[in-house]
Amino acid sequence: MSGAALPEATWVRHYQPGVPAEIEVPQESLVALYERATAEAGDAVATEFFGRETSYRELGDQIARAAEGLRRLGVRAGDRVALILPNCPQHVVAFYAVLRLGAIAVEHNPLYTARELRHMFEDHGARVVIAWDAAVAKLREQPADVELDAIVSVNLLKAFPLVKRLALGLPVPKLRATRNRLTQPAPGTTSWEELLTAPAIDAAHPRPTVDDLAVIQYTSGTTGRPKGAMLTHKNLYSNALQGEAWMHGAQYRQETFYAILPMFHAFGMTLFLTYGIHKQGRLVLFPSFDVDLVLDAARKHPPTVYCAVPPIYEATARRAKERGIDLSTAKYCISGAMSLPDSTVELWESVSGGLLVEGYGMTEASPVCLGNPFHPSRRTGTIGVPFPSTWMRVADPEDLDRDVAPGEPGELLIHGPQVFQGYWHNEAETAQTLLPGHWLRTGDIVTVDDDGFTTIVDRAKEIIITGGFNVAPSEVEQVLTSHGAIADAAVVGMPNPSGGERVVAAVTLDAGAEVSHDELRAFCRDRLAAYKVPREFHVVDELPKSMLGKVLRRQVRDSLESHAPLR
């Protein structure tokens, strides 16, 4: 394609001083990354889980034994191994044990339903699963055509400190309920502890190459059925090194990463499983976000790297102020997955020790590809500029060979060593997403200023076409959430019997608030062109959201088909 040449990276001049324009693309696999970390960091703490610490030396030993245990279960190079785990020490070990064999880790949300898991298992064909024992029952519900050779069950309580384990064993109803949430019997499986009884894998056992597949990471599926993005060792290692370059000044064995984002998600995987281990940092692991648990941990080992989504920053900052807990150590803070309000930036920076900057990524880019600098050159309200060794184009969605002018909306295209290799068993979708020259179509409509700072306008596939005009849902949502009674909003296009779409809004209200259809119509008409004003408003109890807090518009659209609008 005529636009495939790499553009001039004029945005580099806005980087934080010391951040390079390019990284040295790795020539070794992630196995080399973790083996270097476990050898060099030794007795330094690798993971902390409810106060229990595991050293890098212990981590390396557990990975070697888990790898041999998996080999004895029949796992070979190129096999897919499914991981269904929350954030826990076993997750870190399992991830690298799979990679040590040259096998492919396939991450799954442990809260997926049996139906959601079935589609993925039918697609990737993993025969060995490492699963949280509370999720094993869903595997038992799979039909006969989803054949499994072995299930390794993980009891989270076994990773707790002894005192906490004993406390949870007391015959107290509240403690019993907590214990039942954390673990469930999983008969007929191989326990994690049994897996680790194997000796260390033979050091001569072949290691993967940098170009081998490391992970199949399923997309969120907000625009259709989830697809498995194929990520190589080079893709993931490159993104870890790009993150290292961006967080200029972060020190080996000196940083404390708060693993709040799930490691089964691309953002958490790169931040903690690859970049965090590469920096030989302390990973403080949380199975789910609980603001008081986070702040309790901060009293003993406060975070220096705290990456999250805006609602988590809001909750953490407010509660820290209430409890008088110092978060001034938090120097490296990146927000992603959804727009970052100025009010959140101000609130977080009033309690933290560094800048809160917005970044941008997608599963298909390992995932991070743009970010705001940790420097006064950052521009709030934008997703920043491309990372080192990353190039972007902004093209006409109807003619991808034509780059639009600065300031003109267009589709964001990305090129760099972190860009994926395509979708597992889905050549048609791969051809639509990966363009000649290995340019990635993001599906996001953006504008870029003369300095390269990029602002998302909307998802190309979520643009509403009504009366021949394009409506960006996010623009209407921003207007709605500025109304004093509205807590949150999602705007979608619903089909008209005569063709095209009509603009429809689903809103949640603040406690005790009331609104009418006419009131909201009038409010929007004062702020939006007539064709952008929703024709219907639906008041709902909550909006469906992804694990990172992003509203799932497709699910909103489906739910409104049988929901009565506001009158």
Side-chain angles (χ1 to χ4, degrees):
M1 60 189 297
S2 61
L6 296 180
E8 182 183 359
T10 56
W11 49 79
V12 171
R13 66 180 184 273
H14 298 290
Y15 282 7
Q16 176 186 359
V19 175
E22 296 185 22
I23 62 161
E24 186 174 338
V25 177
Q27 301 302 312
E28 57 187 11
S29 74
L30 292 172
V31 171
L33 179 154
Y34 93 74
E35 288 184 332
R36 182 180 303 110
T38 55
E40 292 179 355
D43 292 329
V45 173
T47 64
E48 177 185 329
F49 191 61
F50 291 93
R52 183 175 178 181
E53 298 175 345
T54 300
S55 72
Y56 272 90
R57 193 185 317 281
E58 292 169 325
L59 181 68
D61 176 65
Q62 291 178 24
I63 293 170
R65 288 188 282 120
E68 176 62 15
L70 290 173
R71 190 191 69 80
R72 295 184 179 193
L73 288 176
V75 177
R76 299 293 182 262
D79 288 351
R80 278 77 63 208
V81 177
L83 306 184
I84 311 177
L85 296 166
N87 290 2
C88 57
Q90 298 97 322
H91 196 154
V92 182
V93 175
F95 180 82
Y96 280 110
V98 172
L99 300 190
R100 174 64 183 87
L101 295 172
I104 302 165
V106 189
E107 292 278 4
H108 302 77
N109 183 341
L111 299 182
Y112 280 153
T113 63
R115 180 176 175 274
E116 290 168 320
L117 289 173
R118 174 179 179 172
H119 165 67
M120 296 177 185
F121 272 77
E122 289 174 336
D123 188 49
H124 59 63
R127 304 290 294 262
V128 174
V129 185
I130 304 174
W132 177 27
D133 58 14
V136 167
K138 289 179 282 193
L139 292 171
R140 302 292 197 206
E141 296 176 33
Q142 299 304 310
D145 58 346
V146 176
E147 298 182 24
L148 301 177
D149 294 335
I151 299 174
V152 178
S153 59
V154 174
N155 182 336
L156 294 188
L157 292 184
K158 296 291 181 69
F160 275 50
L162 178 60
V163 171
K164 284 187 169 63
R165 288 208 307 274
L166 293 174
L168 286 170
L170 295 173
V172 177
K174 186 176 181 180
L175 293 176
R176 185 182 299 116
T178 299
R179 185 171 65 250
N180 290 340
R181 284 197 302 272
L182 290 171
T183 183
Q184 291 290 324
T189 64
T190 299
S191 74
W192 178 256
E193 289 69 34
E194 289 177 79
L195 189 77
L196 292 186
T197 60
I201 193 168
D202 189 332
H205 188 282
R207 290 163 170 76
T209 72
V210 71
D211 292 314
D212 285 339
L213 281 189
V215 169
I216 296 175
Q217 188 81 26
Y218 280 85
T219 63
S220 62
T222 57
T223 56
R225 296 187 78 183
K227 302 179 291 290
M230 298 188 292
L231 302 171
T232 64
H233 288 261
K234 180 183 291 184
N235 293 148
L236 293 169
Y237 204 154
S238 294
N239 209 222
L241 296 181
Q242 289 167 321
E244 177 178 42
W246 207 247
M247 296 187 189
H248 181 67
Q251 302 296 309
Y252 282 82
R253 295 183 292 284
Q254 299 299 315
E255 306 303 334
T256 298
F257 294 73
Y258 269 33
I260 295 167
L261 296 171
M263 296 189 298
F264 56 75
H265 185 276
F267 194 8
M269 178 175 61
T270 288
L271 280 168
F272 313 127
L273 288 175
T274 57
Y275 172 59
I277 295 296
H278 171 68
K279 293 302 289 186
Q280 301 168 23
R282 174 192 289 261
L283 306 185
V284 183
L285 305 172
F286 300 91
S288 61
F289 175 66
D290 181 305
V291 66
D292 283 312
L293 283 178
V294 168
L295 294 175
D296 288 346
R299 288 190 182 279
K300 187 175 181 182
H301 294 115
T304 63
V305 180
Y306 196 88
C307 296
V309 292
I312 288 179
Y313 283 115
E314 287 265 357
T316 307
R318 292 189 189 284
R319 190 70 175 131
K321 285 190 171 185
E322 290 172 4
R323 293 182 55 182
I325 292 178
D326 182 15
L327 293 175
S328 62
T329 57
K331 301 174 292 184
Y332 302 103
C333 306
I334 299 177
S335 177
M338 54 200 300
S339 60
L340 177 64
D342 289 346
S343 59
T344 303
V345 175
E346 293 170 6
L347 176 62
W348 179 255
E349 292 182 359
S350 72
V351 301
S352 70
L355 301 179
L356 171 56
V357 300
E358 187 169 358
Y360 170 86
M362 57 190 303
T363 301
E364 293 87 344
S366 301
V368 189
C369 37
L370 285 87
N372 267 282
F374 286 105
H375 190 257
S377 61
R378 59 110 180 241
R379 295 185 188 174
T380 57
T382 77
I383 55 173
V385 296
F387 264 26
S389 293
T390 305
W391 291 265
M392 71 176 178
R393 293 177 50 224
V394 183
D396 181 345
E398 303 303 321
D399 179 8
L400 294 171
D401 286 332
R402 184 183 79 84
D403 289 354
V404 302
E408 182 182 340
E411 183 172 351
L412 178 64
L413 308 180
I414 295 294
H415 178 91
Q418 73 271 50
V419 171
F420 80 142
Q421 306 308 302
Y423 297 112
W424 181 259
H425 289 168
N426 198 333
E427 293 181 3
E429 287 284 354
T430 297
Q432 290 293 314
T433 306
L434 273 181
L435 304 178
H438 214 72
W439 284 91
L440 170 64
R441 289 192 68 174
T442 67
D444 282 315
I445 302 301
V446 303
T447 58
V448 180
D449 64 21
D450 292 334
D451 293 324
F453 282 86
T454 303
T455 302
I456 293 180
V457 176
D458 229 302
R459 285 288 298 170
K461 294 181 180 178
E462 293 178 346
I463 290 290
I464 302 167
I465 302 176
T466 179
F469 291 98
N470 290 352
V471 177
S474 61
E475 180 185 9
V476 184
E477 289 163 357
Q478 288 169 6
V479 168
L480 286 168
T481 54
S482 70
H483 187 285
I486 293 179
D488 204 357
V491 172
V492 298
M494 300 293 284
N496 277 326
S498 58
E501 298 174 301
R502 65 188 186 279
V503 182
V504 176
V507 301
T508 62
L509 302 181
D510 287 326
E514 295 182 358
V515 292
S516 68
H517 173 275
D518 290 344
E519 176 189 352
L520 291 180
R521 285 275 293 175
F523 182 83
C524 291
R525 276 200 304 268
D526 287 342
R527 294 159 176 82
L528 294 167
Y531 68 88
K532 298 180 182 179
V533 175
R535 300 300 179 90
E536 295 173 11
F537 299 89
H538 296 253
V539 175
V540 297
D541 292 333
E542 61 179 1
L543 296 172
K545 295 183 178 182
S546 73
M547 66 198 73
L548 295 184
K550 183 186 294 185
V551 171
L552 301 175
R553 291 195 181 110
R554 182 172 63 85
Q555 291 186 23
V556 172
R557 186 183 299 111
D558 293 344
S559 70
L560 295 185
E561 290 179 353
S562 58
H563 192 279
L566 188 65
R567 298 299 179 189

